Amino acid sequence: MSAATGTFTVRPRADMPAQTTSAQTIPEIGQLRLDKHWSGDLRGQSVVEMLTFMTPVEGSAVYVAIEIVQATLSGRQGGFALFHAGVSERGSQSLTYRVVPDSGSGELLGLRGELTLEIVDKVHHYTLEYTLPSP
């Protein structure tokens, strides 16, 4: 298992599509599209498509997302997808980031891994623990 560390920045996309039918009929569901810029051991760009649900209880919410990454990892270029699931229960949070199985392309074919996130002073610090087949 190898580890990649660094930071990423996030910004909302200007080209957010119109809300889906479910988001229009269930106002508690939010939809976001974000751009990310990755720095450090993983360098590149990604697009995140996210659905959120906020409860009436402060500090309780959930989100799910799919992220498409184009980047260089350990000197190998390619793409892959990440799956996110975040749950906040009255302020207590848990977050899962996983590489979608068999989503690697280019030189990242066969990538497997999980990412952990720590936010310090509003800066997103990641650690991606991963495996890659030998080239």
Side-chain angles (χ1 to χ4, degrees):
M1 183 79 57
S2 298
T5 60
T7 62
F8 63 79
T9 58
V10 181
R11 67 178 174 80
R13 284 187 72 126
D15 66 343
M16 179 62 203
Q19 296 259 321
T20 62
T21 303
S22 63
Q24 290 171 346
T25 59
I26 306 170
E28 295 88 354
I29 294 177
Q31 184 177 5
L32 298 169
R33 184 175 284 173
L34 307 167
D35 284 321
K36 279 189 183 176
H37 175 78
W38 296 83
S39 327
D41 298 329
L42 177 67
R43 294 182 322 278
Q45 308 291 326
S46 61
V47 175
V48 182
E49 188 80 28
M50 178 185 297
L51 291 176
T52 63
F53 180 84
M54 307 295 285
T55 74
V57 176
E58 186 173 336
S60 292
V62 66
Y63 90 89
V64 294
I66 296 173
E67 180 169 357
I68 307 302
V69 181
Q70 292 296 318
T72 301
L73 175 63
S74 296
R76 295 166 71 169
Q77 293 184 340
F80 62 94
L82 285 170
F83 163 76
H84 309 206
V87 177
S88 179
E89 185 174 348
R90 298 179 185 228
S92 176
Q93 299 178 349
S94 68
L95 180 62
T96 300
Y97 269 86
R98 289 202 176 136
V99 174
V100 175
D102 300 316
S103 66
S105 64
E107 296 175 320
L108 299 179
L109 192 66
L111 176 68
R112 298 176 54 139
E114 293 189 26
L115 184 140
T116 55
L117 175 64
E118 184 178 11
I119 301 173
V120 178
D121 296 327
K122 299 183 182 180
V123 177
H124 294 80
H125 297 267
Y126 70 84
T127 299
L128 174 63
E129 294 188 13
Y130 68 95
T131 59
L132 268 169
S134 297

Short mmCIF file of all heavy atoms in Angstrom, two decimals, residues 5-74:
data_model
loop_
_atom_site.label_atom_id
_atom_site.label_comp_id
_atom_site.label_asym_id
_atom_site.label_seq_id
_atom_site.Cartn_x
_atom_site.Cartn_y
_atom_site.Cartn_z
N THR A 5 -0.10 12.30 -0.38
CA THR A 5 -0.63 13.36 0.47
C THR A 5 -0.56 14.70 -0.27
O THR A 5 0.21 14.86 -1.21
CB THR A 5 0.17 13.49 1.79
OG1 THR A 5 1.52 13.78 1.48
CG2 THR A 5 0.08 12.20 2.61
N GLY A 6 -1.36 15.63 0.17
CA GLY A 6 -1.37 16.96 -0.41
C GLY A 6 -2.62 17.71 -0.01
O GLY A 6 -3.24 17.40 1.01
N THR A 7 -2.97 18.68 -0.82
CA THR A 7 -4.16 19.49 -0.56
C THR A 7 -4.99 19.61 -1.84
O THR A 7 -4.51 19.32 -2.93
CB THR A 7 -3.77 20.92 -0.09
OG1 THR A 7 -3.03 21.56 -1.11
CG2 THR A 7 -2.98 20.88 1.21
N PHE A 8 -6.23 20.04 -1.68
CA PHE A 8 -7.03 20.39 -2.85
C PHE A 8 -7.87 21.62 -2.54
O PHE A 8 -8.15 21.92 -1.38
CB PHE A 8 -7.89 19.23 -3.35
CG PHE A 8 -8.93 18.71 -2.39
CD1 PHE A 8 -10.15 19.36 -2.21
CD2 PHE A 8 -8.72 17.54 -1.69
CE1 PHE A 8 -11.11 18.87 -1.35
CE2 PHE A 8 -9.67 17.03 -0.83
CZ PHE A 8 -10.87 17.70 -0.66
N THR A 9 -8.23 22.33 -3.61
CA THR A 9 -9.14 23.46 -3.49
C THR A 9 -10.44 23.11 -4.20
O THR A 9 -10.44 22.29 -5.13
CB THR A 9 -8.54 24.74 -4.10
OG1 THR A 9 -8.23 24.50 -5.48
CG2 THR A 9 -7.29 25.18 -3.35
N VAL A 10 -11.52 23.71 -3.76
CA VAL A 10 -12.85 23.42 -4.30
C VAL A 10 -13.53 24.73 -4.66
O VAL A 10 -13.45 25.70 -3.92
CB VAL A 10 -13.72 22.70 -3.23
CG1 VAL A 10 -15.10 22.37 -3.79
CG2 VAL A 10 -13.05 21.46 -2.70
N ARG A 11 -14.21 24.73 -5.82
CA ARG A 11 -15.02 25.89 -6.17
C ARG A 11 -16.26 25.41 -6.93
O ARG A 11 -16.19 24.43 -7.69
CB ARG A 11 -14.24 26.93 -6.94
CG ARG A 11 -13.80 26.54 -8.29
CD ARG A 11 -13.05 27.70 -8.98
NE ARG A 11 -12.50 27.29 -10.24
CZ ARG A 11 -13.17 27.18 -11.38
NH1 ARG A 11 -14.44 27.46 -11.43
NH2 ARG A 11 -12.57 26.79 -12.49
N PRO A 12 -17.39 26.09 -6.72
CA PRO A 12 -18.61 25.73 -7.44
C PRO A 12 -18.44 25.97 -8.93
O PRO A 12 -17.75 26.89 -9.34
CB PRO A 12 -19.68 26.66 -6.87
CG PRO A 12 -19.10 27.23 -5.63
CD PRO A 12 -17.61 27.17 -5.76
N ARG A 13 -19.07 25.13 -9.74
CA ARG A 13 -19.04 25.30 -11.19
C ARG A 13 -20.12 26.27 -11.62
O ARG A 13 -21.23 26.23 -11.12
CB ARG A 13 -19.28 23.97 -11.89
CG ARG A 13 -18.07 23.07 -11.85
CD ARG A 13 -18.32 21.87 -12.69
NE ARG A 13 -18.28 22.24 -14.09
CZ ARG A 13 -17.50 21.65 -14.98
NH1 ARG A 13 -16.72 20.69 -14.63
NH2 ARG A 13 -17.53 22.02 -16.23
N ALA A 14 -19.81 27.07 -12.61
CA ALA A 14 -20.78 28.03 -13.14
C ALA A 14 -21.81 27.34 -14.02
O ALA A 14 -22.92 27.83 -14.20
CB ALA A 14 -20.06 29.11 -13.93
N ASP A 15 -21.48 26.17 -14.59
CA ASP A 15 -22.37 25.49 -15.54
C ASP A 15 -23.25 24.44 -14.87
O ASP A 15 -23.58 23.44 -15.47
CB ASP A 15 -21.55 24.86 -16.66
CG ASP A 15 -20.65 23.73 -16.18
OD1 ASP A 15 -20.40 23.64 -14.96
OD2 ASP A 15 -20.21 22.94 -17.02
N MET A 16 -23.65 24.69 -13.62
CA MET A 16 -24.49 23.73 -12.90
C MET A 16 -25.76 23.46 -13.70
O MET A 16 -26.45 24.39 -14.11
CB MET A 16 -24.84 24.30 -11.53
CG MET A 16 -25.72 23.42 -10.69
SD MET A 16 -24.92 21.86 -10.33
CE MET A 16 -26.33 20.86 -10.00
N PRO A 17 -26.06 22.17 -13.94
CA PRO A 17 -27.28 21.85 -14.70
C PRO A 17 -28.54 22.16 -13.89
O PRO A 17 -28.48 22.32 -12.68
CB PRO A 17 -27.15 20.34 -14.93
CG PRO A 17 -26.32 19.86 -13.79
CD PRO A 17 -25.35 20.99 -13.48
N ALA A 18 -29.64 22.22 -14.60
CA ALA A 18 -30.93 22.42 -13.93
C ALA A 18 -31.16 21.27 -12.96
O ALA A 18 -30.70 20.16 -13.17
CB ALA A 18 -32.05 22.47 -14.96
N GLN A 19 -31.89 21.56 -11.88
CA GLN A 19 -32.18 20.53 -10.88
C GLN A 19 -32.91 19.37 -11.52
O GLN A 19 -33.70 19.54 -12.44
CB GLN A 19 -33.05 21.14 -9.78
CG GLN A 19 -32.37 22.24 -9.00
CD GLN A 19 -31.85 21.75 -7.67
OE1 GLN A 19 -32.50 20.96 -7.02
NE2 GLN A 19 -30.69 22.21 -7.28
N THR A 20 -32.63 18.17 -11.01
CA THR A 20 -33.30 16.99 -11.53
C THR A 20 -34.74 16.96 -11.03
O THR A 20 -35.11 17.70 -10.12
CB THR A 20 -32.59 15.71 -11.05
OG1 THR A 20 -32.65 15.68 -9.62
CG2 THR A 20 -31.15 15.67 -11.53
N THR A 21 -35.55 16.08 -11.61
CA THR A 21 -36.95 15.97 -11.21
C THR A 21 -37.08 15.71 -9.72
O THR A 21 -37.89 16.34 -9.04
CB THR A 21 -37.64 14.86 -12.01
OG1 THR A 21 -37.50 15.15 -13.39
CG2 THR A 21 -39.10 14.76 -11.67
N SER A 22 -36.27 14.78 -9.16
CA SER A 22 -36.39 14.47 -7.74
C SER A 22 -36.04 15.69 -6.89
O SER A 22 -36.67 15.94 -5.88
CB SER A 22 -35.52 13.28 -7.36
OG SER A 22 -34.16 13.58 -7.59
N ALA A 23 -35.04 16.47 -7.30
CA ALA A 23 -34.67 17.65 -6.53
C ALA A 23 -35.77 18.72 -6.63
O ALA A 23 -35.96 19.49 -5.71
CB ALA A 23 -33.34 18.21 -7.01
N GLN A 24 -36.49 18.76 -7.76
CA GLN A 24 -37.58 19.73 -7.89
C GLN A 24 -38.78 19.35 -7.04
O GLN A 24 -39.45 20.21 -6.49
CB GLN A 24 -38.01 19.83 -9.36
CG GLN A 24 -36.97 20.49 -10.24
CD GLN A 24 -37.34 20.38 -11.71
OE1 GLN A 24 -38.21 19.61 -12.10
NE2 GLN A 24 -36.67 21.16 -12.53
N THR A 25 -39.04 18.06 -6.90
CA THR A 25 -40.22 17.62 -6.15
C THR A 25 -39.93 17.40 -4.68
O THR A 25 -40.85 17.30 -3.89
CB THR A 25 -40.80 16.32 -6.75
OG1 THR A 25 -39.80 15.31 -6.72
CG2 THR A 25 -41.27 16.54 -8.17
N ILE A 26 -38.65 17.31 -4.29
CA ILE A 26 -38.27 17.15 -2.89
C ILE A 26 -37.32 18.29 -2.55
O ILE A 26 -36.11 18.19 -2.76
CB ILE A 26 -37.60 15.78 -2.64
CG1 ILE A 26 -38.49 14.65 -3.15
CG2 ILE A 26 -37.28 15.60 -1.15
CD1 ILE A 26 -37.82 13.30 -3.16
N PRO A 27 -37.83 19.41 -2.05
CA PRO A 27 -37.00 20.60 -1.89
C PRO A 27 -35.83 20.43 -0.93
O PRO A 27 -34.88 21.18 -0.98
CB PRO A 27 -37.98 21.66 -1.40
CG PRO A 27 -39.21 20.96 -1.02
CD PRO A 27 -39.21 19.61 -1.68
N GLU A 28 -35.87 19.44 -0.04
CA GLU A 28 -34.78 19.23 0.90
C GLU A 28 -33.52 18.68 0.22
O GLU A 28 -32.44 18.71 0.79
CB GLU A 28 -35.19 18.25 2.02
CG GLU A 28 -36.30 18.78 2.91
CD GLU A 28 -37.70 18.45 2.36
OE1 GLU A 28 -37.83 17.90 1.24
OE2 GLU A 28 -38.68 18.77 3.06
N ILE A 29 -33.65 18.15 -1.01
CA ILE A 29 -32.50 17.61 -1.73
C ILE A 29 -31.84 18.74 -2.52
O ILE A 29 -32.48 19.41 -3.31
CB ILE A 29 -32.91 16.46 -2.67
CG1 ILE A 29 -33.41 15.27 -1.86
CG2 ILE A 29 -31.73 16.05 -3.55
CD1 ILE A 29 -33.91 14.11 -2.71
N GLY A 30 -30.56 18.93 -2.27
CA GLY A 30 -29.79 19.91 -3.01
C GLY A 30 -28.86 19.22 -3.99
O GLY A 30 -28.50 18.05 -3.81
N GLN A 31 -28.47 19.92 -5.04
CA GLN A 31 -27.59 19.36 -6.05
C GLN A 31 -26.49 20.38 -6.32
O GLN A 31 -26.77 21.56 -6.53
CB GLN A 31 -28.36 19.06 -7.33
CG GLN A 31 -27.55 18.40 -8.40
CD GLN A 31 -28.40 18.08 -9.62
OE1 GLN A 31 -29.57 18.43 -9.70
NE2 GLN A 31 -27.81 17.41 -10.57
N LEU A 32 -25.23 19.93 -6.30
CA LEU A 32 -24.08 20.81 -6.54
C LEU A 32 -23.14 20.16 -7.54
O LEU A 32 -23.00 18.94 -7.57
CB LEU A 32 -23.29 21.03 -5.24
CG LEU A 32 -23.98 21.71 -4.08
CD1 LEU A 32 -23.12 21.58 -2.83
CD2 LEU A 32 -24.22 23.16 -4.40
N ARG A 33 -22.47 20.99 -8.31
CA ARG A 33 -21.37 20.53 -9.15
C ARG A 33 -20.17 21.39 -8.79
O ARG A 33 -20.28 22.61 -8.73
CB ARG A 33 -21.70 20.66 -10.63
CG ARG A 33 -20.58 20.09 -11.51
CD ARG A 33 -20.93 20.11 -12.95
NE ARG A 33 -21.86 19.03 -13.23
CZ ARG A 33 -22.46 18.86 -14.41
NH1 ARG A 33 -22.23 19.71 -15.39
NH2 ARG A 33 -23.28 17.86 -14.60
N LEU A 34 -19.04 20.74 -8.51
CA LEU A 34 -17.85 21.43 -8.04
C LEU A 34 -16.65 21.10 -8.90
O LEU A 34 -16.56 20.00 -9.45
CB LEU A 34 -17.54 21.01 -6.59
CG LEU A 34 -18.68 21.13 -5.58
CD1 LEU A 34 -18.33 20.38 -4.30
CD2 LEU A 34 -18.97 22.59 -5.30
N ASP A 35 -15.71 22.03 -8.98
CA ASP A 35 -14.40 21.78 -9.59
C ASP A 35 -13.39 21.69 -8.46
O ASP A 35 -13.45 22.45 -7.49
CB ASP A 35 -13.98 22.95 -10.49
CG ASP A 35 -14.69 22.95 -11.81
OD1 ASP A 35 -14.90 21.87 -12.38
OD2 ASP A 35 -15.03 24.05 -12.29
N LYS A 36 -12.43 20.77 -8.62
CA LYS A 36 -11.34 20.64 -7.65
C LYS A 36 -10.01 20.74 -8.37
O LYS A 36 -9.87 20.28 -9.50
CB LYS A 36 -11.38 19.27 -6.94
CG LYS A 36 -12.35 19.16 -5.81
CD LYS A 36 -12.12 17.84 -5.09
CE LYS A 36 -13.09 17.62 -3.98
NZ LYS A 36 -12.88 16.29 -3.37
N HIS A 37 -9.04 21.30 -7.67
CA HIS A 37 -7.66 21.32 -8.13
C HIS A 37 -6.83 20.61 -7.07
O HIS A 37 -6.82 21.02 -5.91
CB HIS A 37 -7.17 22.76 -8.33
CG HIS A 37 -5.73 22.83 -8.69
ND1 HIS A 37 -5.28 22.56 -9.97
CD2 HIS A 37 -4.63 23.08 -7.95
CE1 HIS A 37 -3.96 22.66 -9.98
NE2 HIS A 37 -3.55 22.98 -8.77
N TRP A 38 -6.16 19.53 -7.47
CA TRP A 38 -5.37 18.70 -6.57
C TRP A 38 -3.89 19.09 -6.66
O TRP A 38 -3.37 19.25 -7.76
CB TRP A 38 -5.51 17.23 -6.96
CG TRP A 38 -6.90 16.69 -6.81
CD1 TRP A 38 -7.93 16.81 -7.69
CD2 TRP A 38 -7.41 15.94 -5.70
NE1 TRP A 38 -9.05 16.19 -7.21
CE2 TRP A 38 -8.75 15.64 -5.99
CE3 TRP A 38 -6.86 15.50 -4.51
CZ2 TRP A 38 -9.56 14.92 -5.13
CZ3 TRP A 38 -7.66 14.77 -3.65
CH2 TRP A 38 -9.00 14.49 -3.95
N SER A 39 -3.21 19.20 -5.51
CA SER A 39 -1.78 19.47 -5.45
C SER A 39 -1.14 18.44 -4.52
O SER A 39 -1.81 17.85 -3.70
CB SER A 39 -1.47 20.83 -4.87
OG SER A 39 -2.39 21.78 -5.16
N GLY A 40 0.16 18.31 -4.66
CA GLY A 40 0.89 17.36 -3.82
C GLY A 40 1.24 16.12 -4.62
O GLY A 40 1.57 16.21 -5.82
N ASP A 41 1.14 14.96 -3.99
CA ASP A 41 1.47 13.70 -4.66
C ASP A 41 0.47 13.33 -5.75
O ASP A 41 0.79 12.59 -6.67
CB ASP A 41 1.56 12.57 -3.64
CG ASP A 41 2.66 12.80 -2.61
OD1 ASP A 41 3.68 13.45 -2.95
OD2 ASP A 41 2.50 12.35 -1.46
N LEU A 42 -0.76 13.82 -5.63
CA LEU A 42 -1.79 13.67 -6.66
C LEU A 42 -1.99 15.06 -7.26
O LEU A 42 -2.38 15.98 -6.55
CB LEU A 42 -3.09 13.14 -6.04
CG LEU A 42 -4.28 13.00 -6.96
CD1 LEU A 42 -4.04 11.90 -7.99
CD2 LEU A 42 -5.54 12.68 -6.15
N ARG A 43 -1.68 15.22 -8.54
CA ARG A 43 -1.75 16.53 -9.18
C ARG A 43 -2.71 16.46 -10.36
O ARG A 43 -2.53 15.63 -11.26
CB ARG A 43 -0.37 16.97 -9.67
CG ARG A 43 0.61 17.23 -8.55
CD ARG A 43 1.96 17.71 -9.05
NE ARG A 43 2.44 17.09 -10.29
CZ ARG A 43 3.06 15.91 -10.37
NH1 ARG A 43 3.23 15.19 -9.30
NH2 ARG A 43 3.47 15.45 -11.53
N GLY A 44 -3.71 17.33 -10.35
CA GLY A 44 -4.64 17.35 -11.46
C GLY A 44 -5.93 18.07 -11.13
O GLY A 44 -5.99 18.89 -10.22
N GLN A 45 -6.96 17.72 -11.89
CA GLN A 45 -8.28 18.36 -11.79
C GLN A 45 -9.35 17.29 -11.63
O GLN A 45 -9.16 16.15 -12.04
CB GLN A 45 -8.57 19.15 -13.08
CG GLN A 45 -7.50 20.11 -13.51
CD GLN A 45 -7.38 21.29 -12.57
OE1 GLN A 45 -8.35 21.77 -12.02
NE2 GLN A 45 -6.16 21.77 -12.38
N SER A 46 -10.48 17.72 -11.07
CA SER A 46 -11.62 16.81 -11.01
C SER A 46 -12.91 17.60 -11.01
O SER A 46 -12.93 18.80 -10.74
CB SER A 46 -11.55 15.90 -9.78
OG SER A 46 -11.56 16.66 -8.60
N VAL A 47 -13.99 16.89 -11.33
CA VAL A 47 -15.35 17.44 -11.29
C VAL A 47 -16.15 16.54 -10.36
O VAL A 47 -16.09 15.31 -10.45
CB VAL A 47 -15.99 17.45 -12.69
CG1 VAL A 47 -17.43 17.91 -12.61
CG2 VAL A 47 -15.20 18.34 -13.62
N VAL A 48 -16.91 17.18 -9.46
CA VAL A 48 -17.72 16.46 -8.46
C VAL A 48 -19.19 16.77 -8.71
O VAL A 48 -19.57 17.93 -8.85
CB VAL A 48 -17.36 16.91 -7.02
CG1 VAL A 48 -18.16 16.13 -5.99
CG2 VAL A 48 -15.87 16.80 -6.76
N GLU A 49 -19.99 15.73 -8.75
CA GLU A 49 -21.45 15.86 -8.82
C GLU A 49 -22.00 15.37 -7.49
O GLU A 49 -21.77 14.22 -7.11
CB GLU A 49 -22.00 15.02 -9.97
CG GLU A 49 -23.45 15.24 -10.26
CD GLU A 49 -23.73 16.49 -11.09
OE1 GLU A 49 -22.88 16.91 -11.87
OE2 GLU A 49 -24.83 17.04 -10.93
N MET A 50 -22.71 16.24 -6.75
CA MET A 50 -23.09 15.95 -5.38
C MET A 50 -24.58 16.15 -5.15
O MET A 50 -25.17 17.09 -5.68
CB MET A 50 -22.30 16.90 -4.46
CG MET A 50 -22.60 16.78 -3.00
SD MET A 50 -21.72 18.06 -2.02
CE MET A 50 -20.02 17.63 -2.31
N LEU A 51 -25.16 15.26 -4.35
CA LEU A 51 -26.52 15.43 -3.84
C LEU A 51 -26.45 15.57 -2.33
O LEU A 51 -25.68 14.85 -1.68
CB LEU A 51 -27.40 14.24 -4.19
CG LEU A 51 -27.76 14.04 -5.65
CD1 LEU A 51 -28.55 12.74 -5.82
CD2 LEU A 51 -28.54 15.22 -6.19
N THR A 52 -27.23 16.50 -1.78
CA THR A 52 -27.23 16.73 -0.34
C THR A 52 -28.66 16.66 0.20
O THR A 52 -29.62 16.87 -0.53
CB THR A 52 -26.65 18.12 0.01
OG1 THR A 52 -27.51 19.13 -0.57
CG2 THR A 52 -25.24 18.28 -0.51
N PHE A 53 -28.75 16.35 1.49
CA PHE A 53 -30.03 16.39 2.18
C PHE A 53 -29.80 16.98 3.56
O PHE A 53 -28.98 16.48 4.33
CB PHE A 53 -30.64 14.99 2.32
CG PHE A 53 -31.97 14.98 3.02
CD1 PHE A 53 -33.13 15.23 2.33
CD2 PHE A 53 -32.05 14.74 4.38
CE1 PHE A 53 -34.36 15.24 2.97
CE2 PHE A 53 -33.27 14.75 5.04
CZ PHE A 53 -34.42 15.00 4.33
N MET A 54 -30.48 18.08 3.84
CA MET A 54 -30.37 18.75 5.13
C MET A 54 -31.62 18.44 5.95
O MET A 54 -32.73 18.54 5.45
CB MET A 54 -30.28 20.27 4.93
CG MET A 54 -29.18 20.71 3.98
SD MET A 54 -27.53 20.35 4.57
CE MET A 54 -27.36 21.61 5.79
N THR A 55 -31.42 18.06 7.20
CA THR A 55 -32.56 17.79 8.08
C THR A 55 -32.92 19.07 8.83
O THR A 55 -32.14 20.02 8.84
CB THR A 55 -32.24 16.68 9.10
OG1 THR A 55 -31.38 17.21 10.11
CG2 THR A 55 -31.62 15.47 8.44
N PRO A 56 -34.07 19.09 9.50
CA PRO A 56 -34.41 20.27 10.30
C PRO A 56 -33.58 20.37 11.58
O PRO A 56 -33.58 21.39 12.25
CB PRO A 56 -35.89 20.10 10.61
CG PRO A 56 -36.25 18.71 10.24
CD PRO A 56 -35.17 18.15 9.38
N VAL A 57 -32.85 19.31 11.95
CA VAL A 57 -32.03 19.31 13.16
C VAL A 57 -30.66 19.90 12.83
O VAL A 57 -29.98 19.41 11.91
CB VAL A 57 -31.88 17.88 13.73
CG1 VAL A 57 -30.94 17.87 14.93
CG2 VAL A 57 -33.25 17.31 14.10
N GLU A 58 -30.26 20.94 13.53
CA GLU A 58 -28.97 21.58 13.27
C GLU A 58 -27.83 20.57 13.41
O GLU A 58 -27.77 19.80 14.37
CB GLU A 58 -28.75 22.74 14.22
CG GLU A 58 -27.49 23.53 13.88
CD GLU A 58 -27.35 24.78 14.72
OE1 GLU A 58 -28.35 25.30 15.23
OE2 GLU A 58 -26.21 25.23 14.84
N GLY A 59 -26.95 20.56 12.40
CA GLY A 59 -25.79 19.68 12.44
C GLY A 59 -26.04 18.29 11.91
O GLY A 59 -25.15 17.44 11.97
N SER A 60 -27.23 18.02 11.39
CA SER A 60 -27.54 16.70 10.83
C SER A 60 -27.85 16.83 9.34
O SER A 60 -28.73 17.60 8.95
CB SER A 60 -28.72 16.05 11.55
OG SER A 60 -28.36 15.74 12.88
N ALA A 61 -27.08 16.09 8.53
CA ALA A 61 -27.23 16.16 7.08
C ALA A 61 -26.49 14.97 6.47
O ALA A 61 -25.80 14.23 7.17
CB ALA A 61 -26.64 17.46 6.55
N VAL A 62 -26.63 14.82 5.16
CA VAL A 62 -25.93 13.76 4.45
C VAL A 62 -25.62 14.24 3.04
O VAL A 62 -26.30 15.12 2.51
CB VAL A 62 -26.79 12.46 4.40
CG1 VAL A 62 -28.04 12.66 3.56
CG2 VAL A 62 -26.00 11.28 3.90
N TYR A 63 -24.54 13.69 2.46
CA TYR A 63 -24.28 13.94 1.05
C TYR A 63 -23.68 12.70 0.42
O TYR A 63 -23.05 11.88 1.10
CB TYR A 63 -23.39 15.18 0.83
CG TYR A 63 -21.90 14.91 0.81
CD1 TYR A 63 -21.25 14.60 -0.39
CD2 TYR A 63 -21.14 14.99 1.96
CE1 TYR A 63 -19.89 14.36 -0.42
CE2 TYR A 63 -19.78 14.76 1.94
CZ TYR A 63 -19.15 14.45 0.75
OH TYR A 63 -17.81 14.21 0.71
N VAL A 64 -23.93 12.55 -0.87
CA VAL A 64 -23.29 11.51 -1.68
C VAL A 64 -22.78 12.20 -2.93
O VAL A 64 -23.34 13.19 -3.39
CB VAL A 64 -24.25 10.35 -2.06
CG1 VAL A 64 -24.66 9.56 -0.83
CG2 VAL A 64 -25.46 10.86 -2.80
N ALA A 65 -21.67 11.68 -3.47
CA ALA A 65 -21.10 12.32 -4.65
C ALA A 65 -20.30 11.32 -5.46
O ALA A 65 -19.81 10.31 -4.93
CB ALA A 65 -20.20 13.48 -4.23
N ILE A 66 -20.17 11.64 -6.73
CA ILE A 66 -19.26 10.94 -7.64
C ILE A 66 -18.32 11.99 -8.19
O ILE A 66 -18.76 13.08 -8.58
CB ILE A 66 -20.02 10.22 -8.76
CG1 ILE A 66 -20.92 9.13 -8.18
CG2 ILE A 66 -19.04 9.64 -9.79
CD1 ILE A 66 -21.83 8.48 -9.18
N GLU A 67 -17.04 11.66 -8.19
CA GLU A 67 -16.00 12.59 -8.64
C GLU A 67 -15.18 11.95 -9.73
O GLU A 67 -14.72 10.81 -9.57
CB GLU A 67 -15.13 12.96 -7.44
CG GLU A 67 -14.02 13.91 -7.74
CD GLU A 67 -13.36 14.43 -6.47
OE1 GLU A 67 -13.79 14.08 -5.36
OE2 GLU A 67 -12.39 15.19 -6.61
N ILE A 68 -14.97 12.65 -10.82
CA ILE A 68 -14.15 12.17 -11.93
C ILE A 68 -12.83 12.94 -11.89
O ILE A 68 -12.83 14.17 -11.99
CB ILE A 68 -14.86 12.37 -13.28
CG1 ILE A 68 -16.26 11.75 -13.27
CG2 ILE A 68 -14.01 11.82 -14.42
CD1 ILE A 68 -16.31 10.28 -12.96
N VAL A 69 -11.72 12.20 -11.74
CA VAL A 69 -10.40 12.79 -11.54
C VAL A 69 -9.53 12.51 -12.77
O VAL A 69 -9.50 11.38 -13.25
CB VAL A 69 -9.72 12.18 -10.29
CG1 VAL A 69 -8.35 12.79 -10.06
CG2 VAL A 69 -10.60 12.32 -9.05
N GLN A 70 -8.83 13.52 -13.25
CA GLN A 70 -7.79 13.40 -14.27
C GLN A 70 -6.52 13.93 -13.63
O GLN A 70 -6.47 15.12 -13.28
CB GLN A 70 -8.14 14.19 -15.54
CG GLN A 70 -9.31 13.62 -16.30
CD GLN A 70 -9.03 12.23 -16.85
OE1 GLN A 70 -7.95 11.95 -17.36
NE2 GLN A 70 -10.00 11.35 -16.73
N ALA A 71 -5.51 13.07 -13.43
CA ALA A 71 -4.38 13.50 -12.63
C ALA A 71 -3.14 12.65 -12.89
O ALA A 71 -3.19 11.65 -13.60
CB ALA A 71 -4.76 13.42 -11.15
N THR A 72 -2.06 13.06 -12.23
CA THR A 72 -0.83 12.30 -12.18
C THR A 72 -0.63 11.84 -10.75
O THR A 72 -0.73 12.64 -9.81
CB THR A 72 0.37 13.18 -12.61
OG1 THR A 72 0.14 13.64 -13.94
CG2 THR A 72 1.67 12.40 -12.57
N LEU A 73 -0.39 10.55 -10.58
CA LEU A 73 -0.18 9.94 -9.28
C LEU A 73 1.07 9.07 -9.38
O LEU A 73 1.13 8.19 -10.24
CB LEU A 73 -1.40 9.10 -8.89
CG LEU A 73 -1.30 8.29 -7.60
CD1 LEU A 73 -1.15 9.19 -6.38
CD2 LEU A 73 -2.54 7.40 -7.44
N SER A 74 2.06 9.35 -8.55
CA SER A 74 3.32 8.59 -8.59
C SER A 74 3.93 8.59 -9.99
O SER A 74 4.44 7.57 -10.46
CB SER A 74 3.12 7.16 -8.12
OG SER A 74 2.72 7.14 -6.78
#
